[in-house]
Amino acid sequence: MPGLPLSGTESLMVLGALVGLGGLVGLGESLRAWGLRAWGLRASTTRRLVHTGVGLFVAATPVLFGRPLPVYLLAGAFTVANATARARHWWPGIHAARPGSWGTVALPVSVIAALGMTWSIAPDRLFAFQGAYLVLALADPAASWVGERSTRSGAAPLNATVPGSLTFAGVAFGLSVLVLGGGTSWGLGAVVGAATGAALVATPVEAVSARGWDNFFVPVALVLVWVPLQEGTLRIGALGGALLVGILFGGLAHGADALDLRGAAVGGLFAASLVGLGGTAWAVPGVVFFGLSSALTYVQDDRHAAAAAGAPRRTEAQVLANGGVAWAALAGSAVVPSGGAVLAGGYAVFVGALAAAAADTWATEVGTRFSTAPWSLRTGRRVAAGTSGAVSVTGTVAAMLGAASVAGAAVLTNGPVTGDVRGDVVLLVGAGLLGMAADSLVGAFLQAQYRADSGEWRETPPAQGAAPVRGWAPMGNNAVNFVGTTVGGGIALAGVLLVG
């Protein structure tokens, strides 16, 4: 790659792109202002117009630019600009249709991630980058339009509809056939198989991604299908088998009341990723974590009663809070060229994050059932069992066993860490415990805490818009869990780098 500074031609093209994309936003605003009065256009229509234009522009960037650096700069600039516009309620033609959506921020962020997985590694991966944004540009608005028309009220649906999802799948399949047929040397059978797999992956991803995050997850998911197929690390048959495993896992988890419908869909996609992209060494620790954690949750008699009474099951947000870091490590390892240090680092993050999640889950479930009142890290006083940011001897011992279950599964399946069995166990269990410790500290000092009218402390708002009595409102239980798994993964990575 040439030196980092932009050339004169590149600078002019970046400036032209900024002006052109700004003009597209201005067109959307004008259509919203005039069209609503003259033609009865909906805000969702102008949003789809801008979305399509931006997606097509991203798909065309490899034709416009000779290297990825200018595209990185554009994506970074629009990430900042769109985040500012969202916070200040600018550009209602884009944001009025879905005020709570992060889609305008998620899209440029996805460009940064997709560039890192494709163009920045090898030019022969460009078909995956361009194809992913063609699907996002055309299939997503088509699904939105069909879904909107299929609702009786005519309002833009907040969740995916069956007609909308079927439309997305059909358009995604057709575009995938065109992209793979023209951008690769694969045979017809491979093109059709890969296009089918891509549609079967991208459609549930689009359906379960809330608040506009499909703009991030759809292109990333497509790249994660096409690049391993291109590199030969994933076969069409293995892709089909992985999808079948994901469907079975999601169905069983939902049928057992472990996950709600959207949580089961996300869990199924995670399971499919473990099997298709990782293999045994990645799948077994994941199965151990989910299986044993779920078993611990349901051995409690009161949980059985709660499930029978229709209590909420775990959601997609909880799945991502506990498994998101591990999933990202798996994804990165699947697309980065194979290498001992890179693979060991990614696997260490994966296992360390799951070990932290297991430690926290085991500590909570066992400590709540068998321990006396724990001590609050905030006050040093005894508090009710299950209180966030509190510890007990029983819970800590359970946390060690939980982390050891995941670390042991990784070592027994010959996971690519350092090769020193004893050292790997110590490192991964320690990472899990330190991740749980971070979870407890954040829960004690930063997690939002509310008071109900009865005076009881709660971790969820007693009413919409309620301000926390202490802590930071965005730091809910899922955010706390995400911090814990991030620390666990980071400690494991640091250990591998130091030992290696």
Side-chain angles (χ1 to χ4, degrees), residues 208-227:
V208 300
S209 298
R211 304 184 68 183
W213 282 101
D214 54 326
N215 287 353
F216 177 87
F217 289 113
V218 166
V220 168
L222 289 169
V223 169
L224 287 172
V225 172
W226 288 335
V227 166

mmCIF file of all heavy atoms in Angstrom, residues 208-227:
data_model
loop_
_atom_site.group_PDB
_atom_site.id
_atom_site.type_symbol
_atom_site.label_atom_id
_atom_site.label_comp_id
_atom_site.label_asym_id
_atom_site.label_seq_id
_atom_site.Cartn_x
_atom_site.Cartn_y
_atom_site.Cartn_z
ATOM 1 N N VAL A 208 -33.616 -10.083 13.393
ATOM 2 C CA VAL A 208 -33.454 -9.940 14.841
ATOM 3 C C VAL A 208 -32.649 -8.708 15.229
ATOM 4 O O VAL A 208 -32.571 -8.369 16.416
ATOM 5 C CB VAL A 208 -32.781 -11.188 15.458
ATOM 6 C CG1 VAL A 208 -33.618 -12.424 15.194
ATOM 7 C CG2 VAL A 208 -31.351 -11.372 14.950
ATOM 8 N N SER A 209 -32.041 -8.028 14.264
ATOM 9 C CA SER A 209 -31.222 -6.854 14.590
ATOM 10 C C SER A 209 -32.127 -5.658 14.845
ATOM 11 O O SER A 209 -32.755 -5.134 13.929
ATOM 12 C CB SER A 209 -30.240 -6.545 13.445
ATOM 13 O OG SER A 209 -29.353 -7.610 13.251
ATOM 14 N N ALA A 210 -32.178 -5.242 16.089
ATOM 15 C CA ALA A 210 -33.066 -4.152 16.476
ATOM 16 C C ALA A 210 -32.371 -2.800 16.346
ATOM 17 O O ALA A 210 -31.145 -2.705 16.264
ATOM 18 C CB ALA A 210 -33.534 -4.351 17.918
ATOM 19 N N ARG A 211 -33.175 -1.754 16.265
ATOM 20 C CA ARG A 211 -32.722 -0.359 16.321
ATOM 21 C C ARG A 211 -31.684 -0.028 15.257
ATOM 22 O O ARG A 211 -30.745 0.728 15.495
ATOM 23 C CB ARG A 211 -32.194 -0.031 17.720
ATOM 24 C CG ARG A 211 -33.196 -0.281 18.841
ATOM 25 C CD ARG A 211 -32.681 0.146 20.180
ATOM 26 N NE ARG A 211 -32.560 1.590 20.263
ATOM 27 C CZ ARG A 211 -32.071 2.240 21.335
ATOM 28 N NH1 ARG A 211 -31.653 1.557 22.376
ATOM 29 N NH2 ARG A 211 -32.008 3.546 21.341
ATOM 30 N N GLY A 212 -31.856 -0.593 14.065
ATOM 31 C CA GLY A 212 -31.001 -0.233 12.948
ATOM 32 C C GLY A 212 -29.670 -0.936 12.885
ATOM 33 O O GLY A 212 -28.874 -0.675 11.971
ATOM 34 N N TRP A 213 -29.403 -1.859 13.790
ATOM 35 C CA TRP A 213 -28.099 -2.518 13.787
ATOM 36 C C TRP A 213 -27.982 -3.583 12.709
ATOM 37 O O TRP A 213 -26.914 -4.180 12.535
ATOM 38 C CB TRP A 213 -27.792 -3.084 15.173
ATOM 39 C CG TRP A 213 -27.356 -2.000 16.095
ATOM 40 C CD1 TRP A 213 -28.104 -1.379 17.057
ATOM 41 C CD2 TRP A 213 -26.079 -1.343 16.097
ATOM 42 N NE1 TRP A 213 -27.366 -0.387 17.673
ATOM 43 C CE2 TRP A 213 -26.126 -0.348 17.106
ATOM 44 C CE3 TRP A 213 -24.914 -1.503 15.366
ATOM 45 C CZ2 TRP A 213 -25.040 0.477 17.389
ATOM 46 C CZ3 TRP A 213 -23.826 -0.682 15.641
ATOM 47 C CH2 TRP A 213 -23.891 0.297 16.645
ATOM 48 N N ASP A 214 -29.083 -3.834 11.962
ATOM 49 C CA ASP A 214 -28.941 -4.681 10.786
ATOM 50 C C ASP A 214 -27.983 -4.053 9.775
ATOM 51 O O ASP A 214 -27.348 -4.764 8.981
ATOM 52 C CB ASP A 214 -30.298 -4.945 10.139
ATOM 53 C CG ASP A 214 -31.062 -3.668 9.825
ATOM 54 O OD1 ASP A 214 -30.938 -2.685 10.584
ATOM 55 O OD2 ASP A 214 -31.798 -3.644 8.822
ATOM 56 N N ASN A 215 -27.848 -2.719 9.794
ATOM 57 C CA ASN A 215 -26.903 -2.047 8.898
ATOM 58 C C ASN A 215 -25.455 -2.434 9.201
ATOM 59 O O ASN A 215 -24.573 -2.282 8.350
ATOM 60 C CB ASN A 215 -27.047 -0.531 9.005
ATOM 61 C CG ASN A 215 -28.297 -0.028 8.346
ATOM 62 O OD1 ASN A 215 -29.022 -0.776 7.691
ATOM 63 N ND2 ASN A 215 -28.589 1.250 8.513
ATOM 64 N N PHE A 216 -25.205 -2.911 10.398
ATOM 65 C CA PHE A 216 -23.874 -3.414 10.750
ATOM 66 C C PHE A 216 -23.795 -4.924 10.557
ATOM 67 O O PHE A 216 -22.887 -5.442 9.897
ATOM 68 C CB PHE A 216 -23.538 -3.069 12.208
ATOM 69 C CG PHE A 216 -22.211 -3.618 12.670
ATOM 70 C CD1 PHE A 216 -21.051 -2.900 12.466
ATOM 71 C CD2 PHE A 216 -22.127 -4.858 13.293
ATOM 72 C CE1 PHE A 216 -19.823 -3.410 12.873
ATOM 73 C CE2 PHE A 216 -20.917 -5.377 13.706
ATOM 74 C CZ PHE A 216 -19.755 -4.645 13.491
ATOM 75 N N PHE A 217 -24.751 -5.642 11.113
ATOM 76 C CA PHE A 217 -24.626 -7.092 11.188
ATOM 77 C C PHE A 217 -24.866 -7.792 9.856
ATOM 78 O O PHE A 217 -24.274 -8.850 9.597
ATOM 79 C CB PHE A 217 -25.572 -7.645 12.259
ATOM 80 C CG PHE A 217 -25.145 -7.308 13.664
ATOM 81 C CD1 PHE A 217 -25.903 -6.465 14.451
ATOM 82 C CD2 PHE A 217 -23.969 -7.822 14.172
ATOM 83 C CE1 PHE A 217 -25.510 -6.149 15.742
ATOM 84 C CE2 PHE A 217 -23.557 -7.511 15.458
ATOM 85 C CZ PHE A 217 -24.328 -6.671 16.249
ATOM 86 N N VAL A 218 -25.721 -7.257 8.982
ATOM 87 C CA VAL A 218 -25.982 -7.927 7.708
ATOM 88 C C VAL A 218 -24.729 -7.975 6.835
ATOM 89 O O VAL A 218 -24.329 -9.057 6.373
ATOM 90 C CB VAL A 218 -27.169 -7.280 6.969
ATOM 91 C CG1 VAL A 218 -27.221 -7.737 5.510
ATOM 92 C CG2 VAL A 218 -28.475 -7.631 7.665
ATOM 93 N N PRO A 219 -24.066 -6.850 6.549
ATOM 94 C CA PRO A 219 -22.852 -6.952 5.711
ATOM 95 C C PRO A 219 -21.740 -7.761 6.360
ATOM 96 O O PRO A 219 -21.031 -8.510 5.677
ATOM 97 C CB PRO A 219 -22.438 -5.495 5.481
ATOM 98 C CG PRO A 219 -23.147 -4.699 6.506
ATOM 99 C CD PRO A 219 -24.395 -5.431 6.837
ATOM 100 N N VAL A 220 -21.585 -7.639 7.675
ATOM 101 C CA VAL A 220 -20.554 -8.420 8.353
ATOM 102 C C VAL A 220 -20.859 -9.916 8.240
ATOM 103 O O VAL A 220 -19.970 -10.737 7.990
ATOM 104 C CB VAL A 220 -20.438 -7.988 9.826
ATOM 105 C CG1 VAL A 220 -19.590 -8.976 10.617
ATOM 106 C CG2 VAL A 220 -19.830 -6.591 9.915
ATOM 107 N N ALA A 221 -22.135 -10.289 8.412
ATOM 108 C CA ALA A 221 -22.517 -11.701 8.311
ATOM 109 C C ALA A 221 -22.254 -12.241 6.914
ATOM 110 O O ALA A 221 -21.765 -13.375 6.757
ATOM 111 C CB ALA A 221 -23.989 -11.873 8.682
ATOM 112 N N LEU A 222 -22.558 -11.467 5.897
ATOM 113 C CA LEU A 222 -22.319 -11.924 4.529
ATOM 114 C C LEU A 222 -20.832 -12.104 4.251
ATOM 115 O O LEU A 222 -20.418 -13.083 3.609
ATOM 116 C CB LEU A 222 -22.926 -10.929 3.543
ATOM 117 C CG LEU A 222 -24.461 -10.920 3.488
ATOM 118 C CD1 LEU A 222 -24.964 -9.729 2.697
ATOM 119 C CD2 LEU A 222 -24.976 -12.218 2.882
ATOM 120 N N VAL A 223 -20.023 -11.191 4.730
ATOM 121 C CA VAL A 223 -18.572 -11.332 4.563
ATOM 122 C C VAL A 223 -18.085 -12.599 5.267
ATOM 123 O O VAL A 223 -17.228 -13.333 4.750
ATOM 124 C CB VAL A 223 -17.849 -10.087 5.106
ATOM 125 C CG1 VAL A 223 -16.342 -10.329 5.198
ATOM 126 C CG2 VAL A 223 -18.123 -8.883 4.216
ATOM 127 N N LEU A 224 -18.650 -12.892 6.445
ATOM 128 C CA LEU A 224 -18.229 -14.066 7.202
ATOM 129 C C LEU A 224 -18.669 -15.374 6.559
ATOM 130 O O LEU A 224 -18.165 -16.439 6.918
ATOM 131 C CB LEU A 224 -18.772 -13.985 8.638
ATOM 132 C CG LEU A 224 -18.078 -12.972 9.540
ATOM 133 C CD1 LEU A 224 -18.806 -12.847 10.858
ATOM 134 C CD2 LEU A 224 -16.627 -13.389 9.774
ATOM 135 N N VAL A 225 -19.602 -15.316 5.645
ATOM 136 C CA VAL A 225 -19.966 -16.496 4.866
ATOM 137 C C VAL A 225 -19.073 -16.615 3.637
ATOM 138 O O VAL A 225 -18.496 -17.667 3.357
ATOM 139 C CB VAL A 225 -21.449 -16.448 4.448
ATOM 140 C CG1 VAL A 225 -21.767 -17.585 3.464
ATOM 141 C CG2 VAL A 225 -22.358 -16.552 5.666
ATOM 142 N N TRP A 226 -18.933 -15.529 2.899
ATOM 143 C CA TRP A 226 -18.264 -15.589 1.602
ATOM 144 C C TRP A 226 -16.751 -15.696 1.695
ATOM 145 O O TRP A 226 -16.133 -16.417 0.901
ATOM 146 C CB TRP A 226 -18.658 -14.365 0.769
ATOM 147 C CG TRP A 226 -20.069 -14.422 0.284
ATOM 148 C CD1 TRP A 226 -20.818 -15.537 0.077
ATOM 149 C CD2 TRP A 226 -20.901 -13.314 -0.066
ATOM 150 N NE1 TRP A 226 -22.077 -15.201 -0.378
ATOM 151 C CE2 TRP A 226 -22.153 -13.833 -0.476
ATOM 152 C CE3 TRP A 226 -20.734 -11.933 -0.065
ATOM 153 C CZ2 TRP A 226 -23.214 -13.024 -0.887
ATOM 154 C CZ3 TRP A 226 -21.786 -11.117 -0.481
ATOM 155 C CH2 TRP A 226 -23.013 -11.669 -0.886
ATOM 156 N N VAL A 227 -16.129 -15.010 2.627
ATOM 157 C CA VAL A 227 -14.667 -15.052 2.700
ATOM 158 C C VAL A 227 -14.161 -16.450 3.074
ATOM 159 O O VAL A 227 -13.248 -16.968 2.411
ATOM 160 C CB VAL A 227 -14.138 -13.974 3.667
ATOM 161 C CG1 VAL A 227 -12.668 -14.233 4.023
ATOM 162 C CG2 VAL A 227 -14.275 -12.590 3.038
#
